[in-house]
Amino acid sequence: MKAVLLHHVSLPVSNLERSKAFYGEVLRLKEVARPDFDFDGAWYQIGEGQLHLIVDETMPREAEQKINSRALHFAMRVEGYYETAEWLKKHNITIVEKPDSKSGFAQIFCCDPDGHIIELHVEQPL
């Protein structure tokens, strides 16, 4: 076996419209067509991969998720560390900034409306 790329990440969401506002308007991801499944959701293109949101109304919402960079999360490469941080702050998104991370990436962590942790990063040095 030889893996060649990460095709998509799927996240359960409790409220599709709220999640679409976050991923489409705040994170500015491009929504793409999805098959006519018998359940609600939305797909977003991120480079060669995709993010799939799947409605699961039974999922408990994490109202005040603590942003823990070592917890389950997914990461997206962004352009402009400081511009991204300011954009998120402008939209009242709580963030944790790690501009000097030992990972080799300048990192910003935030949560979506359901408490999923997201890493946004750029290559160092800034």
Side-chain angles (χ1 to χ4, degrees):
M1 183 186 133
K2 180 181 177 184
V4 294
L5 73 98
L6 179 64
H7 183 270
H8 72 272
V9 171
S10 292
L11 296 177
V13 299
S14 60
N15 180 305
L16 185 59
E17 293 311 311
R18 181 183 66 216
S19 293
K20 286 177 72 169
F22 177 79
Y23 285 100
E25 297 169 23
V26 177
L27 294 189
R28 304 180 81 188
L29 300 183
K30 180 182 180 341
E31 188 172 359
V32 295
R34 91 189 250 282
D36 187 21
F37 293 118
D38 62 353
F39 55 90
D40 290 332
W43 288 7
Y44 294 91
Q45 195 70 41
I46 307 171
E48 293 184 38
Q50 295 182 343
L51 172 65
H52 296 178
L53 304 181
I54 300 172
V55 175
D56 181 358
E57 294 169 350
T58 66
M59 188 188 96
R61 179 173 178 254
E62 297 287 342
E64 293 297 324
Q65 173 74 20
K66 180 181 177 199
I67 301 173
N68 178 352
S69 63
R70 287 181 268 162
L72 178 66
H73 68 277
F74 73 95
M76 297 187 303
R77 174 71 48 96
V78 297
E79 293 180 355
Y81 179 89
Y82 295 108
E83 296 85 353
T84 298
E86 288 307 311
W87 176 262
L88 294 170
K89 290 174 188 176
K90 176 181 169 184
H91 288 85
N92 298 313
I93 304 298
T94 301
I95 63 174
V96 170
E97 296 183 65
K98 295 186 175 188
D100 300 314
S101 171
K102 292 180 182 178
S103 67
F105 307 113
Q107 301 167 305
I108 301 167
F109 290 88
C110 67
C111 289
D112 77 359
D114 287 290
H116 300 295
I117 300 169
I118 303 163
E119 173 186 337
L120 307 166
H121 68 255
V122 300
E123 286 189 58
Q124 290 174 331
L126 295 177

